[in-house]
Amino acid sequence: MASLQGGLATLQDSISGTCDGIDSKQIGDELEGKVLTLFEEANSLPISLSKDDGNIEVRTKFDDQYFTTLAEAKIVKSHPKDHKGFLENFLEAFAQADPMVKGINALEHDNQREGVKAFLNFPFPIKDRVMVYWKYLKLNRNQDEHMIILSEKGNQSLLDKYLSPDERENYVLGRIFLCAYWVKPVYGADKNIVGSNIRYMFSGDVGGAMPKWVQSSVGPKNALESLKGFIKYGDESTH
């Protein structure tokens, strides 16, 4: 298996490439494999943020001007089924959980994926962003294990059809190379589920002339807030 540094160095190139002759299921499976590889080797990265006595950790890696953040809550008390609704109702849940979301719309879909256009608020004087990507929902990868993957790979047709000239003028186009939410069961000694392991990752380009030091400061905090928002949504859905 390639090293994490090598994997991240080629992540943007491989995801940004064309998809001629590749069907959407194959693309989704390849993206899923990249998510698994990144998390398998995440421990080789330095910790950028640590919360709850080390139960939550955020790690960050830069390659050229692009960054990748990986966040993990090692165990939360909720059952994985409590977090399934966030993934199944992603557009509504994401808008509710993330205060930066200005608007989010479903575009076209097939039996493997759905196109999404999201508008994000940025603080003045930074221009607001728009992102256009595919969403892959992978429920029950294993028993009580669920994942959602977001990626711009193969999104040129979506940009051509759904990003208007007005939106191109008034927003900066951000890019999502790879983003994922992943929830797995945690088992106790009696083999019963005692909680959930929750992971989040983001690799992308927010667009515009965003200095590296700003991304280094903001990226880990955003990943932490995304992870917490996902956990909170699941916790509140059970009450």
Side-chain angles (χ1 to χ4, degrees), residues 175-192:
R175 304 176 64 188
I176 296 180
F177 303 128
L178 187 60
C179 177
Y181 294 84
W182 182 12
V183 56
K184 300 191 296 180
V186 176
Y187 294 95
D190 58 0
K191 306 300 182 182
N192 290 322

Side-chain angles (χ1 to χ4, degrees), residues 2 13 60 149 163 214:
D13 292 337
T60 306
I149 298 170
L163 191 62
V214 173

Side-chain angles (χ1 to χ4, degrees), residues 98-109:
D98 192 330
M100 290 184 66
V101 177
K102 184 176 183 179
I104 186 166
N105 306 307
L107 305 176
E108 62 189 59
H109 65 88

Side-chain angles (χ1 to χ4, degrees), residues 22-28 107-115 134-137 154 157-158 162:
I22 304 177
D23 63 25
S24 58
K25 183 180 186 308
Q26 184 177 346
I27 295 171
L107 305 176
E108 62 189 59
H109 65 88
D110 59 28
N111 61 349
Q112 298 293 331
R113 62 186 184 179
E114 179 179 54
W134 290 106
K135 170 175 69 72
Y136 301 82
L137 182 60
S157 64
L158 297 179
Y162 299 107

Side-chain angles (χ1 to χ4, degrees), residues 94-143:
F94 181 58
Q96 181 177 329
D98 192 330
M100 290 184 66
V101 177
K102 184 176 183 179
I104 186 166
N105 306 307
L107 305 176
E108 62 189 59
H109 65 88
D110 59 28
N111 61 349
Q112 298 293 331
R113 62 186 184 179
E114 179 179 54
V116 176
K117 180 166 64 174
F119 300 91
L120 304 178
N121 286 310
F122 274 64
F124 181 84
I126 302 173
K127 208 170 185 179
D128 289 347
R129 266 49 175 174
V130 59
M131 293 183 169
V132 178
Y133 52 85
W134 290 106
K135 170 175 69 72
Y136 301 82
L137 182 60
K138 295 180 177 288
L139 301 178
N140 298 303
R141 295 184 65 253
N142 295 297
Q143 183 67 35

Side-chain angles (χ1 to χ4, degrees), residues 43-61:
N43 287 338
S44 66
L45 295 177
I47 297 173
S48 300
L49 285 175
S50 179
K51 298 291 183 181
D52 298 344
D53 296 323
N55 187 52
I56 295 178
E57 293 179 346
V58 181
R59 301 170 186 268
T60 306
K61 171 69 177 180

